[in-house]
Amino acid sequence: MTQADLDDPAALAAADPWGMLAAVAGAGAQARAAGALAEQAALVGPMPDTVVVAGMGGSGVAGDALAALAFAESTAPVVTVKGDRLPAFVGPGTLLVAVSYSGNTDETLSAVEQGLKAGARLVAVASGGRLAELAKDRSAPLVLVEGGSQPRAAFWSLVVPVLSAAEAAGVLRPLRSQVAAAADALDADAAELGPAVPTAANPAKQAALRLAGKLPVVWGTGQLGVVAATRFRTQCNENAKVSVVSAAVPEADHNDVMGLEPGLGPGRELVLLRDPPGEHQRDGLRLAAVREALGADPIVRQSGDAVPLARLARLVAFADFTSTYLGIARGVDPSTIATIDRVKAALAAGAREVNSPGAGGAPPPGAGGAPRLGAGGAVRPGAGGGPPPGAGTAVRPGAGGGPPPGAGEARRGEGLGARP
Ligand code: F6R
């Protein structure tokens, strides 16, 4: 695909059959809807001693966003967990926010099981699945978000309730005006970076074309820039199917920078996602020294000077648009994630084997490390990921129904209940 194709609406539609660009362009509306939903949720205090957010992939990044915002204002430490195991400090004083778009992600469910045993206070954010059932069973607060998208395309539907849970517990200051400002920033970015804006005037299309065929090396500044750098990496992984390196400034100056020696060369591009209000006063100098040493001319995106959530929104929008254009420029469908689907399906099949009597019986009660998605006959190919095989004729998301890529499938795990 060439530059002309990124500017050709028909070519874009053909290259993006599941509508990832439309989902990204709708992020502002998504944030507003999420704000309204979270305000109706029964989220309460008290102020916890510690906060842990458990979640994976496109859901788990919501924990990164909370940790970054809490960094400057919370007296309680906020830790994100992207795996099955929780830290030893988790106990009755812990607010455990579990976030899984499908509600059936193995690792997140393991973490919740462990947290509940340790007496942690659970808040769940999911579109359904086992996590939603578990929250209902335990009478734990549940924010039930709308299903039918790719988890990573539901970023704001997930981030806003995770932040709201922290706000209700007294960890974050009132958020309402920040969510409104973030939604406005997302609308403004869609107007600047969206598919209708030609490449000549569109920094995200320009960045995607520069990154095509290169290894993107993405650095973030400040707490928010680092979250955005992670988001840029994972969005390029899933939307564009490429490997990316991401790192944090100033730590990158002490190690990652060596990977760029002697200069970027033909194979790499440096992307700087800068959050000036969150930077240390010497970060500008640090970056200038790197540019000088490498002779590099990086792709730079700045967050502006609005409230923190709006600044994060600006950097995330750039990551989301750029990665989607990069996928299209590479000729891959931005929405589908076949290998993630295969890995999840293999895990689910393994769990079925472990849990079926002929295969040696169910795992012992409380066997923390056992695969648990027997509950996830759930996670079939296409579940939690792209459209199911052969769904080519299906109605696209956002086009009034049809099989959602991922979440709809994941919901089928509900009630299969191999879990205690
Ligand atoms: C898919 C995506 C994945 C999922 C991850 C966890 O769009 O972003 O990274 O988010 O596999 O699944 P969920 O979000 O359902 O818990």
Side-chain angles (χ1 to χ4, degrees), residues 220-244:
T221 67
Q223 298 296 317
L224 300 175
V226 173
V227 176
T230 302
R231 173 73 174 177
F232 198 103
R233 170 171 55 79
T234 59
Q235 286 290 79
C236 286
N237 297 152
E238 295 186 58
N239 293 343
K241 288 74 174 160
V242 293
S243 293
V244 175

Side-chain angles (χ1 to χ4, degrees), residues 11-106:
L12 282 179
D16 181 23
W18 291 86
M20 184 59 81
L21 276 175
V24 173
Q30 189 186 108
R32 274 183 208 97
L37 185 69
E39 282 187 11
Q40 291 159 21
L43 300 168
V44 289
M47 176 78 181
D49 299 332
T50 56
V51 181
V52 173
V53 185
M56 305 300 292
S59 294
V61 68
D64 298 333
L66 171 56
L69 289 171
F71 188 87
E73 57 179 282
S74 171
T75 51
V78 177
V79 173
T80 59
V81 168
K82 299 181 180 187
D84 305 78
R85 302 233 163 88
L86 295 178
F89 66 72
V90 168
T94 302
L95 172 65
L96 173 62
V97 184
V99 53
S100 168
Y101 188 72
S102 65
N104 284 320
T105 295
D106 192 32

Side-chain angles (χ1 to χ4, degrees), residues 203 206-207 210-211 214-221 232 249 260 263-265 268-274 284 286-302 318:
Q206 290 167 12
R210 266 181 77 174
L211 293 173
K214 308 274 182 67
L215 173 68
V217 177
V218 188
W219 291 2
T221 67
F232 198 103
V249 173
L260 302 176
L264 292 177
R268 290 167 291 199
E269 283 285 356
L270 181 61
V271 181
L272 297 180
L273 299 179
R274 294 192 62 175
R286 290 165 176 148
L287 289 173
V290 169
R291 285 165 89 144
E292 172 74 23
L294 296 175
D297 174 27
I299 296 166
V300 182
R301 187 75 179 171
Q302 307 245 11
F318 183 69

Side-chain angles (χ1 to χ4, degrees), residues 15 22 40 49 157 193 220 229 252 274 305-306 317 322 361 366 384 389 402 405 407:
Q40 291 159 21
D49 299 332
S157 299
L193 307 175
R274 294 192 62 175
D305 56 6
T322 301

